[in-house]
Each structure stands twice: as C-alpha cells, then as structure tokens.
Amino acid sequence: MTDAADTPAPQIARRSLITGGAAGALAAVAGPGAAMTPVPAGGGRIQSRFMTFPTPEDEFIAHFRFERDLKPESQALTWYHFTIFAVSPEQRPAAVVRYEGMEFSCFRQVAPLTWVIHAHNLSYPRDPGTGAFTETAINPVTGATVTPPVMRLLNDPGVLYGPRGYHVLDAATPVWLPSVRSFRVQGDEVVVDHTRPKPEGWPKMFVESSTSFVDKALFDDPAVTSLPCHSSGFYIFPFPAWMNMGDRPGHMIGAWYGGKIDGVDQLPQDFHARTLREHPTLLQPLRDRLDRPLPAAAQAALRSA
C-alpha cells in the first residue's frame, strides 16, 4: 500500500451574532414569511427563485451554516465518495479510480464573523466498478497499471474565512480571496452553489465547485447553527505523479457527493474499521492546530477586514 501523506444580515442580525445571539441573528435574516408552500403532492410547478441578502455579512452567515457551524468554536465532519477521470486529447475521458473519504475540520472564531479553520482529509481508493478497496488501477490513457495512493491530506495550512472571503494562512501577503456563491430556493430545499478561489501558488489548472442543499425548514430555523446538508461537485486538477503521464497534455476531473454527519460513529463500518486500524489518530479533529499563533500576514488581514 502506498500513502500520499500530506498530498499536496441586516445590521441587527450581524450585531446579534457578533454578541453571541446566533438564533436572533438567523431569525432576523430569515424574516417573517420565510416559510414556503411545498410542491403540491399531485404535481405542479416547482418553485425556483434566487435568493438575495441585504449585505455580504448576511450571505456569509448563511453560507457558513452550510460549510461549518456558527458556534464560536466547533467541528464538522463530512463523508464523501468521488470518482476521478483522466481527460486527455487522445481519447474520451474515462474513470480511473473511486475514492471514499472524510474531511474533519475544527474552527474557532477569531474576530467578528471570522473563523480560523483547520482540516484534514483521509481517502481510500476503491475500484470504480465493484467499489472494493484497491491498491491498483488502470491508466485509461496509457493502459498501464498505476498505484493510486491512500490520500492523507495533513499539511493544510488552514484558512481564515469571513465575509471578505478566504485568507490562506501560508499566504505571504494579507490578501483575501473572494468566493463565488449563489443561493436559490428549489422546491422545499435551499441550494447554494459555491466556487472556491485558487490559493496563491496552486496550479493554474485547478478549480473546485460544489452545490449543497438542505431542507428549507431547517434553513429557516434559527436554532440550527450547522445545517445537515448534502453536497455534490467537481474539481479539475493536473495529472498526479502516480498516473505516470510525464509531459502528456491533459488533466484530471473528480466528481463527488457527500454530506455532513454527526460524528465518526456514523461512518460506514468498513471505512471506520480500516481507519481505526490504520489511522486512528485521524478519527478526531487536529484541534491543537487552533492554538497556533496566527502568522503576521493573517493578523494584518484581520486588521484590514
């Protein structure tokens, strides 16, 4: 087995949240009449409309409930599957391998409406057809057998996330990277599309975009600070070294689906058992990273926010 260790609101609502009244803030955002009529049981048109927010702060509050949790300090666990495809001008794109994984994050509020986030990921390769754990795959472009690694993403430098966007903690300058989001009501759900910014120094051939959705009744409930959402999305990235593509043109695309879960006890049995056996320390958030001093550029970014 090979491991790729460390692979590379209205003003009143904001004021309420800043002073700790998350429920009051969310109630102010939702406003009266936020509930909607569900799709008629016998059919009829699906309600679909884009949502707008009074301020960027309101939009951020809504998104952070999807992504993490509005509590001053908390954690979030996401479980997912994704299939990666080789895209080459030589042939039709084809699946290489499936991965099953989890992301465990912890985060702490360090300024009004701004959190520092640290996360790690662990993913195991599976056969794209049978779903069985595997240590090999076929490169559909070259026909060669390749060895997709267990992916352990442990060197995430962490980020600040707030209404101005993301500040990656290893950035040399106090720059905020804006994220692109759109919210809409779709039937009895609220849906958010989110394209993440490309951090400084990452390959040009990289993009990640996701669509997350949750019951509107939960979105409208100010007591729910962390929305139990499901997500799907894709990302594009260069050929990894284990594909042995050399200078061949092309890239990879990954298609994924997952969702938040309440804790490691909800992980599927085979995934949990393997992780307990091989990577037990990763079944908890790396919370000690929250105690690291913020770099100078991050402190400057906070002062500029």
Side-chain angles (χ1 to χ4, degrees):
M1 180 191 306
T2 60
D3 269 28
D6 313 333
T7 306
Q11 184 64 35
I12 185 172
R14 296 199 304 277
R15 186 164 57 246
S16 299
L17 185 58
I18 291 168
T19 57
L26 296 177
V29 172
M36 60 171 289
T37 303
V39 178
R45 295 191 190 280
I46 295 175
Q47 179 177 350
S48 179
R49 60 177 174 81
F50 285 93
M51 300 173 66
T52 58
F53 296 87
T55 69
E57 290 80 2
D58 294 323
E59 184 181 308
F60 169 77
I61 290 169
H63 189 241
F64 205 69
R65 295 171 72 207
F66 276 93
E67 290 273 297
R68 311 292 172 183
D69 191 331
L70 289 176
K71 294 176 182 175
E73 184 170 333
S74 192
Q75 62 190 44
L77 177 60
T78 300
W79 169 70
Y80 52 79
H81 276 257
F82 65 95
T83 302
I84 56 176
F85 300 78
V87 181
S88 167
E90 300 178 27
Q91 65 180 61
R92 182 174 181 266
V96 180
V97 68
R98 168 188 289 266
Y99 274 91
E100 179 184 13
M102 68 174 190
E103 179 189 89
F104 218 154
S105 65
C106 55
F107 37 93
R108 177 182 293 162
Q109 191 170 6
V110 294
L113 293 183
T114 303
W115 280 256
V116 61
I117 306 168
H118 288 280
H120 68 269
N121 292 65
L122 173 67
S123 305
Y124 300 116
R126 288 183 176 271
D127 184 276
T130 68
F133 287 127
T134 186
E135 296 182 7
T136 62
I138 301 299
N139 182 327
V141 181
T142 66
T145 299
V146 294
T147 308
V150 172
M151 293 187 181
R152 297 186 300 128
L153 307 181
L154 306 179
N155 270 356
D156 177 6
V159 297
L160 297 175
Y161 188 34
R164 293 185 62 181
Y166 295 91
H167 171 81
V168 184
L169 295 187
D170 63 356
T173 59
V175 62
W176 290 91
L177 304 174
S179 61
V180 179
R181 302 179 294 249
S182 65
F183 290 76
R184 66 185 187 274
V185 171
Q186 182 173 292
D188 57 1
E189 295 177 324
V190 171
V191 180
V192 57
D193 301 308
H194 179 217
T195 301
R196 292 165 176 79
K198 181 180 77 69
E200 179 182 351
W202 282 41
K204 181 185 293 186
M205 185 55 71
F206 176 83
V207 67
E208 182 177 2
S209 186
S210 65
T211 298
S212 302
F213 51 96
V214 74
D215 287 349
K216 191 172 187 299
L218 292 173
F219 182 87
D220 289 341
D221 184 350
V224 182
T225 59
S226 177
L227 294 169
C229 59
H230 291 262
S231 302
S232 63
F234 75 95
Y235 57 105
I236 294 172
F237 57 102
F239 288 128
W242 57 264
M243 280 286 286
N244 299 324
M245 292 297 284
D247 295 329
R248 288 175 182 261
H251 57 270
M252 305 288 275
I253 183 168
W256 58 271
Y257 174 83
K260 282 183 184 175
I261 59 177
D262 291 336
V264 296
D265 291 343
Q266 290 187 345
L267 288 167
Q269 178 61 37
D270 55 351
F271 182 94
H272 182 267
R274 180 172 179 178
T275 304
L276 191 62
R277 184 173 64 250
E278 299 179 10
H279 308 286
T281 61
L282 301 186
L283 287 170
Q284 55 188 350
L286 306 180
R287 191 171 295 279
D288 61 306
R289 297 185 178 186
L290 293 175
D291 296 324
R292 296 175 178 174
L294 291 176
Q299 295 181 42
L302 286 175
R303 290 193 297 268
S304 71

